[in-house]
Amino acid sequence: MGYLENVSYEDITIGQTAAYSKTVTERDIQLFAIVSGDANPVHLDEAYASGTPFEGRIAHGMITGALVSAAIATTLPGPGSVYRSQSLRFRAPVRIGDTVTVRLEVSDKNDRSHLVTLDCKAYNQDDKLVASGSADVIAAPGRIRVEAPILPEVSLD
Amino acid sequence: MGYLENVSYEDITIGQTAAYSKTVTERDIQLFAIVSGDANPVHLDEAYASGTPFEGRIAHGMITGALVSAAIATTLPGPGSVYRSQSLRFRAPVRIGDTVTVRLEVSDKNDRSHLVTLDCKAYNQDDKLVASGSADVIAAPGRIRVEAPILPEVSLD
């Protein structure tokens, strides 16, 4: 990724948009199960999941939440912002291999508190809405450019 | 973990509670950065983070969201439930080594839709409220007992 740059509070405009995409992999689901402690077989065991109403494995809903939070933290407002709140409605399942695109749109900003309200929508590769909600975040003043640390390589055994 | 058991919709009562705890490790933050794509140095680089208003590294806020979702998926209502929505307000930072305890309390249930509303609060080991919100989840009827798949071992390089 290299560098992360913010959009400063002053430069944010109502109606401004940003997008962030990531493909959800088998490994992501396993890692999220480890981080959260949620090893529900509907996420991890195809034989079990195929017998549920989902008819196959689905990603943890909050993986989409993680992608929404990453969109905010890396694009709009980006680094230096402080996450205050998030609402999410889960509208359709995300499956292994789906590419989720989070679309953010600034719906409000408050010059006194520097609080920015973002409309958040997540779509899959077929443009189906998988989650929607709203976030409140305090945007940093001024320009911030930070080096994104290189993440370690993961192996699963 | 062995087995996961649900609380069936019929057995859920308003005021019922459940708790779920997990210690947030350095590895969790690295894995969450990989899953979400959020490699912000405030989470990953102590030297950078010590110069921010947080005065040190903090966990991604949505790691607490992941723990709230795991509490719902593994304890109340547990397996078989369908996550419909979640709101979260982030109230205080979570740091490496903090043990987060999620406390759930049933605030409403709807016999027609089987929708259950949960009040969600997350505390650190000093009983400081780090996040709070509300979740709507459809609880499964009848008893469900499922084997939790064994998660792979992770190594980071």
Side-chain angles (χ1 to χ4, degrees):
Chain A
M1 184 167 282
Y3 287 87
L4 294 170
E5 295 187 67
N6 75 328
V7 184
S8 72
Y9 179 79
E10 297 78 4
D11 287 346
I12 290 173
T13 55
I14 292 175
Q16 186 169 5
T17 62
Y20 175 87
S21 292
K22 190 168 183 298
T23 299
V24 177
T25 65
E26 160 103 44
R27 191 186 72 167
D28 288 334
I29 292 173
Q30 291 177 321
L31 296 182
F32 191 88
I34 290 167
V35 172
S36 66
D38 178 5
N40 206 296
V42 75
H43 309 303
L44 295 160
D45 180 340
E46 185 61 36
Y48 171 83
S50 64
T52 70
F54 295 112
E55 300 180 339
R57 294 171 64 184
I58 58 170
H60 302 75
M62 205 50 92
I63 288 181
T64 300
L67 299 180
V68 171
S69 77
I72 294 167
T74 63
T75 67
L76 181 64
S81 54
V82 178
Y83 209 7
R84 294 295 301 279
S85 70
Q86 179 74 58
S87 67
L88 280 174
R89 185 171 166 81
F90 303 106
R91 296 177 174 276
V94 171
R95 298 179 188 277
I96 294 169
D98 282 358
T99 298
V100 174
T101 298
V102 177
R103 299 191 185 282
L104 304 176
E105 181 172 345
V106 176
S107 60
D108 200 10
K109 63 180 288 193
N110 182 307
D111 289 344
R112 196 163 53 83
S113 61
H114 284 196
L115 199 71
V116 174
T117 303
L118 297 158
D119 180 61
C120 311
K121 290 192 168 69
Y123 298 88
N124 69 13
Q125 64 281 355
D126 301 320
D127 284 330
K128 184 173 176 67
L129 185 67
V130 296
S132 62
S134 177
D136 283 335
V137 57
I138 298 173
R143 293 287 184 89
I144 297 173
R145 175 181 158 93
V146 295
E147 198 170 351
I150 296 188
L151 294 170
E153 290 293 315
V154 176
S155 47
L156 293 173
D157 197 17
Chain B
M1 182 167 284
Y3 286 87
L4 293 170
E5 295 187 67
N6 75 327
V7 183
S8 71
Y9 179 79
E10 297 79 3
D11 288 345
I12 289 172
T13 55
I14 292 174
Q16 186 170 6
T17 62
Y20 175 87
S21 293
K22 190 166 183 299
T23 299
V24 176
T25 65
E26 159 104 43
R27 190 186 73 170
D28 289 333
I29 291 173
Q30 292 177 321
L31 296 181
F32 191 88
I34 291 167
V35 171
S36 65
D38 177 6
N40 205 295
V42 74
H43 308 304
L44 295 160
D45 181 341
E46 185 60 36
Y48 171 83
S50 64
T52 70
F54 294 113
E55 300 181 338
R57 294 170 65 184
I58 58 170
H60 302 75
M62 205 51 93
I63 288 182
T64 300
L67 299 181
V68 171
S69 77
I72 293 167
T74 64
T75 67
L76 180 65
S81 54
V82 178
Y83 210 6
R84 293 294 301 278
S85 70
Q86 179 74 60
S87 67
L88 280 175
R89 184 169 168 81
F90 303 105
R91 295 176 176 275
V94 171
R95 298 178 188 276
I96 294 168
D98 281 358
T99 298
V100 174
T101 297
V102 177
R103 298 189 185 284
L104 304 175
E105 180 171 346
V106 176
S107 61
D108 200 11
K109 62 181 287 192
N110 183 309
D111 289 344
R112 196 163 54 83
S113 60
H114 284 197
L115 199 71
V116 174
T117 303
L118 298 158
D119 179 63
C120 312
K121 290 190 169 70
Y123 299 88
N124 69 11
Q125 65 281 352
D126 300 321
D127 284 331
K128 184 174 177 67
L129 186 67
V130 296
S132 62
S134 176
D136 282 336
V137 55
I138 298 173
R143 294 287 184 90
I144 296 172
R145 177 181 157 92
V146 295
E147 199 169 349
I150 297 187
L151 294 170
E153 290 294 314
V154 176
S155 49
L156 292 174
D157 198 15

